Amino acid sequence: MTRPIVVLTLVMVLLTTASCGRDPQGSAVAGPEAAGWVKAPVIDSAKRATAGLIVSGQAAPGSRIVIKGDRGTAFAVGTGEDGRFDLLVPSPQTDTLYVVEVEAGEDAVPAAARLLVAGDPAGPVALISPGSPTKRLDPGTGLDVVDSDRRTRVASGRAAAGQRVAIVIDGGEVITVTANDTGRWSLNLGPIRSPASTITVDGLTHVFPGESGSDAPIDRLMPAGGGTILRWKLSDTAEQNSWFARDSRVAAARDAG
């Protein structure tokens, strides 16, 4: 008599799970009539232009993409038959974290990462998401970002696809990583042992100044060492720091000019 009860219970649990509007990965069902899951949009580039910022990406064909700023601004565009979208967003006057969503009926499914755009035209443009290295979209090579949850740090950057990158931390031994097929590389620096750290990438040394203070503003870029740092919330009790390196060779050329 117990087996039919167990089977019925499992069926009820599966039906209950399938009827939920979102899954743990942030996808959503458009409604009970939906044929499948609504996929979150993927941003693959964001380029500064004279008229503003051109945000490009991929979603389901015929979708409506909405980009929302943190000051109540919103911009929308539809995807083409191939699911591609390109949306011109006015350049923000202040540092802004945008949420990119696809509308599905009354639901909105956000991209896994938020889009950071510095108010300073020379500042970083990047995708930030919990548990993943920050992905810079503005031009550059070498060390891009040091992410920290105040327990461990992860350095990441760009190079030619397949290139072997030589990294030295605090004058230690050379560590070699290989850029993936999109030219991205990352290195887990392990537990934090000192407030600051030197990171040398292919002979160019950066001084990471350490994490921001607990009184630093949230969602705003602040000068820190040879770069800028962003303190942003993961939840009410957790946060992350993302330090954006400035290529000293580029800075030297800019200062000399």
Side-chain angles (χ1 to χ4, degrees):
M1 295 298 293
T2 58
R3 180 170 296 177
I5 295 175
V6 172
V7 172
L8 178 59
T9 301
L10 288 173
V11 171
M12 291 178 66
V13 169
L14 291 172
L15 288 174
T16 302
T17 302
S19 67
C20 294
R22 297 182 183 273
D23 74 359
Q25 302 302 316
S27 299
V29 176
E33 308 81 18
W37 299 101
V38 176
K39 294 183 178 180
V42 175
I43 306 165
D44 50 38
S45 71
K47 299 178 180 178
R48 293 187 186 270
T50 303
L53 187 77
I54 302 173
V55 181
S56 303
Q58 183 80 33
S63 299
R64 177 178 168 83
I65 303 298
V66 179
I67 298 181
K68 297 180 179 179
D70 54 9
R71 297 181 182 274
T73 57
F75 311 91
V77 70
T79 60
E81 294 181 355
D82 58 355
R84 297 290 305 171
F85 66 86
D86 298 284
L87 179 57
L88 178 64
V89 177
S91 298
Q93 299 301 306
T94 60
D95 304 330
T96 302
L97 280 170
Y98 292 97
V99 175
V100 182
E101 300 176 335
V102 58
E103 291 186 346
E106 296 182 356
D107 294 323
V109 185
R114 288 189 290 169
L115 175 63
L116 167 69
V117 182
D120 178 358
V125 177
L127 296 174
I128 63 172
S129 57
S132 299
T134 294
K135 182 179 179 181
R136 287 187 74 161
L137 302 177
D138 51 315
T141 57
L143 178 65
D144 276 345
V145 185
V146 176
D147 290 302
S148 168
D149 61 3
R150 298 188 183 275
R151 294 186 299 274
T152 59
R153 295 168 178 164
V154 175
S156 59
R158 286 168 287 180
Q163 178 181 328
R164 292 170 65 84
V165 179
I167 304 172
V168 176
I169 308 300
D170 294 329
E173 296 182 357
V174 176
I175 303 170
T176 302
V177 298
T178 302
N180 64 17
D181 56 1
T182 64
R184 303 275 176 179
W185 59 263
S186 64
L187 176 65
N188 190 328
L189 304 183
I192 296 174
R193 294 185 173 85
S194 61
S197 182
T198 60
I199 303 172
T200 302
V201 177
D202 285 340
L204 180 61
T205 298
H206 301 265
V207 179
F208 170 64
E211 289 69 20
S212 62
S214 58
D215 58 345
I218 298 294
D219 294 349
R220 291 292 176 266
L221 287 162
M222 300 297 293
T228 54
I229 195 165
L230 178 76
R231 179 186 174 215
W232 54 284
K233 288 282 190 179
L234 303 176
S235 66
D236 290 339
T237 58
E239 64 179 53
Q240 184 165 313
N241 275 228
S242 298
W243 180 75
F244 297 86
R246 185 174 65 154
D247 190 324
S248 62
R249 290 169 297 191
V250 174
R254 184 186 303 130
D255 295 341

